[in-house]
């Protein structure tokens, strides 16, 4: 139907999956897969909302590795949403597809990112806007424009902190540290990593252990402390593997092996 509310069962399953992943408890991946499956069997709006959220969060946070199947699913939701002229699933599908595309192929044009951002705001999926802004900054980093990325991310981290948004804030901060390191701004990078470590240690959210270990390993590399880098990289791989976070395991293999 055209209801703007996704299947309650799919949403409950998705919420449990995200909570389990965040707290480092098993079963999160099955919950997320099942949530998408239930939503798909319900209606287009449910499928679009749940699939985009699951893929948007799990791929961005390094829990899942993006796949060609995810992209095909996003393309199919998009095709149906365009066919039925339904704004809510259209906005969700565009965001989900953008996330997968950028992590799978490494890029989207500035115009594509801006169009998805405008659509997300217009159709009422505003909570996605910070993620789109993070993807925009990621594109700047990939293009070598780390200075502009730092400015955008510092502003975004401040806004997310004020809004009490822990999930997107961690992602924005992670990218900010990488951009600061690329700029050679090691003191700021170290301070930012320490703030992030303190923030998530207090919350007991073990899902943030891998990204923090990764950032500490990269910081050690830039500071020339190769023993520390090796040890932190080893702990990064170990923690990502324990938690079953395929995205982080792939990053570790690319970055440190």
């Amino acid at each position: 139907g055209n209801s703007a509310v996704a299947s309650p069962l799919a949403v409950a399953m998705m919420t449990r999956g995200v909570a389990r992943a965040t707290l480092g408890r098993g079963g999160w991946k099955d919950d997320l897969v099942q949530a998408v499956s239930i939503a798909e069997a319900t209606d287009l709006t449910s499928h679009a909302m749940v699939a985009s959220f699951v893929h948007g969060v799990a791929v961005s946070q390094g829990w899942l590795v993006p796949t060609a199947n995810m992209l095909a699913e996003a393309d199919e939701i998009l095709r149906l949403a365009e066919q039925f002229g339904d704004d809510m699933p259209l906005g969700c599908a565009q965001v989900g597809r953008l996330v997968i595309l950028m992590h799978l192929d490494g890029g989207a044009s500035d115009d594509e990112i801006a169009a998805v951002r405008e659509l997300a705001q217009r159709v009422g999926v505003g909570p996605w806007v910070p993620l789109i802004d993070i993807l925009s900054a990621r594109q700047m980093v990939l293009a070598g424009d780390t200075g502009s990325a730092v400015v955008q991310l510092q502003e975004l981290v401040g806004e997310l902190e004020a809004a009490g948004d822990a999930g997107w804030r961690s992602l924005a901060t992670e990218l900010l540290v990488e951009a600061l390191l690329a700029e050679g701004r090691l003191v700021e990078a170290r301070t930012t990593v320490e703030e992030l470590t303190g923030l998530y240690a207090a919350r007991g959210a073990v899902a943030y252990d891998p990204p923090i270990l990764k950032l500490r390993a990269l910081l050690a590399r830039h500071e020339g402390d190769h023993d520390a880098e090796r040890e932190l990289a080893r702990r990064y791989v170990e923690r990502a593997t324990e938690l079953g976070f395929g995205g982080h395991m792939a990053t570790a293999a690319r970055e440190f092996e």
Side-chain angles (χ1 to χ4, degrees), residues 117-148:
R117 189 184 198 279
E118 188 276 326
L119 179 66
Q121 284 183 307
R122 182 163 53 79
V123 305
V125 285
W128 282 119
V129 171
L131 176 58
I132 299 166
D133 289 341
I134 292 166
L135 293 174
S136 163
R138 188 173 185 268
Q139 192 64 21
M140 290 175 193
V141 172
L142 290 171
D145 188 6
T146 46
S148 300

Side-chain angles (χ1 to χ4, degrees), residues 20-138:
R20 279 175 159 175
T22 304
L23 297 170
R25 295 187 182 148
W28 63 268
K29 201 177 295 182
D30 290 341
D31 281 349
L32 297 183
V33 168
Q34 212 172 336
V36 175
S37 180
I38 292 166
E40 184 178 8
T42 307
D43 57 36
L44 178 62
T45 299
S46 293
H47 191 198
M49 290 173 77
V50 173
S52 64
F53 187 84
V54 165
H55 297 154
V57 171
V59 170
S60 299
Q61 297 284 8
W63 302 349
L64 291 178
V65 178
T67 65
N69 283 349
M70 285 183 195
L71 189 60
E73 182 177 14
D75 283 336
E76 178 61 10
I77 295 169
L78 195 56
R79 187 185 67 76
L80 291 169
E82 284 169 346
Q83 186 180 322
F84 293 112
D86 202 339
D87 275 354
M88 173 66 80
L90 188 62
C92 290
Q94 288 276 25
V95 174
R97 185 179 185 280
L98 182 67
V99 173
I100 298 162
L101 196 63
M102 288 195 67
H103 287 83
L104 201 58
D105 294 341
S109 72
D110 292 344
D111 288 347
E112 280 177 275
I113 296 169
V116 174
R117 189 184 198 279
E118 188 276 326
L119 179 66
Q121 284 183 307
R122 182 163 53 79
V123 305
V125 285
W128 282 119
V129 171
L131 176 58
I132 299 166
D133 289 341
I134 292 166
L135 293 174
S136 163
R138 188 173 185 268

Side-chain angles (χ1 to χ4, degrees), residues 166 169-170 194-204:
R169 180 182 167 189
S170 76
E194 282 166 3
E195 282 170 7
L196 191 66
T197 306
L199 177 70
Y200 291 103
R203 290 172 183 265

